[in-house]
Amino acid sequence: MSGNGNGLTYADAGVDIDAGNLMVEKIKPLVRSTRRPGADGEIGGFGGLFDLKAAGFTDPVLVAANDGVGTKLKVAIDAGRHDTVGIDLVAMCVNDLVVQGAEPLFFLDYFATGKLDPDQGAAIVAGIADGCRIAGCALIGGETAEMPGMYRDGDYDLAGFAVGAAERGQLLPTDDIVEGDVLLGLASSGVHSNGFSLVRRIVQQSGLGWDDEAPFQPGRGLGEALLEPTRIYVRPVLSAIRGTHGIKALAHVTGGGFPDNIPRVLPKDFSAELDLETIEVPRVFSWLARQGGVAPAEMMRTFNCGVGMVCVVAAGQAAQVAAVLQQAGETVAPIGRIVPRRDQGVIYRGVLEL
């Protein structure tokens, strides 16, 4: 029998418009909490608005980025923890903006699921709002899609879209990278949001459950520990860019690790030489390497191995830049230097302590 006695309804097909409206009401206070100069509107319209002039820009170049959270979402779903993956979603986008010298301005999300649970959706958006506040950008809109038949019960996917701006002539990388420039590594908060297909395979082989104690972090559940959110570097890095004018390039260490990400910001005539023994590797990566029998080269191409962001800095300003970053809360260490181009874009010295 159909819902109205006469014919099928959208609810009969598995889409609950009332649940969607309830979720919108639940997240409105979260969205308001991300307001910043340039964005003070309410969600619910057909598009989000942003005023560049009110944000203080005079001759801006816009920079856009989009990303997702990958199969880290499966860990969140299986562990029943949905309040932090929104931070990951924001981080993966805004960290890509700041490496180009851009200040993140606004963010939009796309949340798709087979059957909408308003409380679950609100928890996810709460994480997105947390990430936006950390990054200093406004959550000005998004889309929630309930698509029965596309996703299994409980499954969902996320995508994020961020736009930032920099004054014309202030984008990174600069054109004055030279031999001898120093590489500063900014510590990661853990696995971040890359390599989770391999992480899940290793966990499966280990026989551990998500509620079991994490072997690399006693006193914390495995799922909770692996879901540690991606670090958002925006405010400290912008402080260093604006306060020192000493950062020449930045590389966000995501999928592809060191060998794929660092060369993206270097001129073709140069390579990055990394001193692996200067990198303090968090225990989670040591456990993954040992438990999965993963070779060091594979670890460094799959994971950040403890370095979530790499700064290219003039040698004479390395100490100043590091001091500003540390004062802003970052853990910073010199991890290498720029050298003339060799066969590879990244050259390793020493051994990674896994």
Side-chain angles (χ1 to χ4, degrees):
M1 182 67 68
S2 65
N4 62 11
N6 296 315
L8 289 173
T9 66
Y10 211 5
D12 293 329
V15 179
D16 189 341
I17 294 175
D18 292 334
N21 291 335
L22 176 59
M23 179 179 157
V24 170
E25 291 305 311
K26 284 178 175 288
I27 67 175
K28 278 185 176 180
L30 301 171
V31 174
R32 292 189 197 106
S33 73
T34 70
R35 285 176 172 171
R36 55 151 292 158
D40 59 4
E42 288 280 348
I43 61 167
F46 287 96
L49 304 178
F50 193 90
D51 185 342
L52 281 166
K53 187 174 182 180
F57 289 90
T58 56
D59 186 20
V61 175
L62 295 179
V63 183
N66 72 293
D67 212 331
V69 185
T71 57
K72 189 174 187 176
L73 290 180
K74 284 296 293 179
V75 179
I77 292 165
D78 293 344
R81 304 181 66 94
H82 310 287
D83 57 337
T84 60
V85 288
I87 300 176
D88 291 293
L89 184 67
V90 175
M92 296 302 289
C93 295
V94 297
N95 285 342
D96 279 354
L97 294 182
V98 79
V99 299
Q100 295 176 90
E103 174 188 342
L105 301 177
F106 59 86
F107 189 86
L108 301 99
D109 70 277
Y110 176 77
F111 167 47
T113 185
K115 182 172 178 56
L116 181 62
D117 177 338
D119 290 330
Q120 181 197 67
I124 292 167
V125 176
I128 294 172
D130 286 343
C132 286
R133 287 193 297 271
I134 295 169
C137 64
L139 178 58
I140 66 169
E143 172 69 9
T144 299
E146 189 174 24
M147 299 189 290
M150 284 290 290
Y151 298 90
R152 291 181 296 182
D153 287 347
D155 283 354
Y156 60 85
D157 198 9
L158 295 173
F161 310 85
V163 172
E167 294 292 355
R168 194 175 306 275
Q170 296 182 9
L171 292 170
L172 297 178
T174 63
D175 60 2
D176 60 344
I177 294 173
V178 297
E179 180 181 357
D181 283 345
V182 172
L183 303 176
L184 298 178
L186 277 59
S188 68
S189 56
V191 183
H192 285 184
S193 299
N194 299 104
F196 268 86
S197 294
L198 179 56
V199 169
R200 290 168 48 241
R201 180 70 174 270
I202 291 170
V203 170
Q204 182 182 37
Q205 290 183 355
S206 76
L208 293 171
W210 300 117
D211 292 330
D212 291 335
E213 185 176 70
F216 52 88
Q217 198 170 356
R220 199 174 188 193
L222 179 60
E224 179 189 5
L226 288 172
L227 287 169
E228 182 68 32
T230 304
R231 188 164 183 81
I232 294 175
Y233 298 98
V234 170
R235 291 183 191 269
V237 167
L238 285 176
S239 293
I241 291 172
R242 294 166 177 172
T244 71
H245 302 286
I247 294 180
K248 297 184 176 185
L250 292 155
H252 184 200
V253 184
T254 55
F258 299 143
D260 286 0
N261 286 292
I262 300 176
R264 293 168 66 181
V265 299
L266 300 180
K268 60 181 178 60
D269 296 331
F270 294 104
S271 295
E273 184 178 82
L274 294 184
D275 297 324
L276 297 180
E277 293 174 4
T278 65
I279 296 173
E280 186 172 341
V281 181
R283 292 179 62 190
V284 59
F285 297 108
S286 301
W287 179 76
L288 290 168
R290 291 195 306 268
Q291 185 66 43
V294 185
E298 184 68 13
M299 289 293 297
M300 290 186 288
R301 195 180 182 195
T302 304
F303 302 112
N304 65 65
C305 293
V307 179
M309 186 78 73
V310 175
C311 308
V312 180
V313 183
Q317 290 185 274
Q320 180 193 15
V321 172
V324 172
L325 290 167
Q326 288 166 345
Q327 188 174 12
E330 296 301 324
T331 300
V332 188
I335 61 170
R337 63 202 59 79
I338 298 298
V339 297
R341 179 74 186 192
R342 302 182 192 172
D343 291 339
Q344 294 85 30
V346 175
I347 301 157
Y348 301 122
R349 295 284 180 258
V351 178
L352 193 68
E353 292 292 333
L354 291 168

